[in-house]
Amino acid sequence: DIVMTQSPDSLAVSLGERATINCKSSQSVLYSSNSKNYLAWYQLKPGQPPKLLIYWASTRESGVPDRFSGSGSGTDFTLTVSSLQAEDAAIYYCQQYYGRPITFGQGTRLEIK
Amino acid sequence: QLVESGGGLVQPGGSLRLSCAASGFTFSDYSLNWVRQAPGKGLEWISYISTIGTIYYADSVKGRFTISRDNAKNSLSLQMDSLRDEDTAVYYCARGAYGDYFSNWFGPWGQGTLVIVSS
């Protein structure tokens, strides 16, 4: 199984500041035949279903604010929230869909400082 | 667009059947998944069914859970047998790829249904 490890486990960021969450996979999730990274990011708030933010490591889902961005390739990925808003407080998960089983990171709790 | 039902309290060793009703898209065109989140834990993918009936399970539920779909009713199901304490979780259905393709992100997700396995 591909193990996904996120860092940090939690972080507190002031409103308007940048938040950065890292995700590392135990093996590459870059598929050489199409040069795509099989990596997605989700936002989870209490009482709500997970919300897809990013897929193919850097493609923003329709309707997701452009302050959310994804980057990275191979085994190392980053989710950045460029200017934190109050509604961004949540737990964020990375997911690899390169191998079976599909696996998620352990989650990163983002709080407002 | 996805609404789960069927959760509840069940004793260890018991059974439960979850359903997921879909709307707003052509159900038969998409692969579907079940994902769960145990209390205080992260997300765990548990099962997949494609448009043509290809099925996969996580090792943690293989042999105990059965996924199925009814395209005529726009419905996804998860039959859960031999339930264990560690199956306690919120269970989500989530749409996967367009077509018969496993390697895909998930979206949208249902709101989830809570399953509690306890004596």
Side-chain angles (χ1 to χ4, degrees):
Chain A
D1 297 5
I2 299 175
V3 177
M4 307 299 290
T5 303
Q6 293 181 226
S7 62
D9 289 334
S10 65
L11 75 162
V13 177
S14 301
L15 291 173
E17 297 298 305
R18 177 187 300 260
T20 300
I21 298 171
N22 301 301
C23 176
K24 188 175 183 66
S25 58
S26 61
Q27 65 185 74
S28 176
V29 298
L30 173 63
Y31 192 37
S32 56
S33 66
N34 60 10
S35 298
K36 288 184 179 293
N37 287 283
Y38 284 52
L39 192 285
W41 289 96
Y42 300 87
Q43 177 191 65
L44 186 50
K45 296 180 179 181
Q48 297 184 20
K51 177 184 177 182
L52 174 67
L53 299 175
I54 303 284
Y55 56 93
W56 296 137
S58 60
T59 301
R60 197 179 304 112
E61 170 71 339
S62 176
V64 173
D66 60 7
R67 63 180 180 274
F68 290 92
S69 63
S71 62
S73 184
T75 61
D76 292 280
F77 301 91
T78 299
L79 175 70
T80 301
V81 187
S82 60
S83 179
L84 196 69
Q85 306 298 303
E87 61 266 30
D88 300 333
I91 301 177
Y92 292 84
Y93 292 90
C94 61
Q95 172 212 35
Q96 68 78 21
Y97 46 95
Y98 179 92
R100 180 161 52 95
I102 286 172
T103 51
F104 295 85
Q106 80 277 16
T108 294
R109 182 180 300 274
L110 176 57
E111 298 174 332
I112 309 300
K113 189 185 294 183
Chain B
Q1 288 184 326
L2 295 170
V3 179
E4 302 92 339
S5 61
L9 175 63
V10 60
Q11 292 188 338
S15 297
L16 210 57
R17 186 176 183 88
L18 305 183
S19 296
C20 173
S23 61
F25 64 96
T26 305
F27 183 79
S28 58
D29 285 347
Y30 287 85
S31 296
L32 298 154
N33 297 269
W34 287 99
V35 180
R36 68 184 179 185
Q37 184 175 30
K41 302 294 186 180
L43 298 168
E44 179 190 15
W45 168 84
I46 58 171
S47 189
Y48 160 91
I49 186 167
S50 78
T51 55
I52 60 171
T54 302
I55 288 173
Y56 299 125
Y57 298 101
D59 287 346
S60 59
V61 305
K62 195 176 299 181
R64 301 186 299 121
F65 290 12
T66 303
I67 191 172
S68 61
R69 65 188 297 163
D70 185 337
N71 290 336
K73 296 182 178 179
N74 289 352
S75 179
L76 174 71
S77 295
L78 186 69
Q79 176 66 39
M80 304 187 296
D81 298 320
S82 303
L83 283 162
R84 306 167 180 167
D85 291 350
E86 56 264 35
D87 294 319
T88 294
V90 175
Y91 285 73
Y92 298 99
C93 60
R95 194 179 74 178
Y98 179 86
D100 177 30
Y101 191 61
F102 176 77
S103 296
N104 205 78
W105 58 90
F106 298 160
W109 300 55
Q111 86 289 349
T113 188
L114 177 61
V115 172
I116 300 174
V117 184
S118 176
S119 54

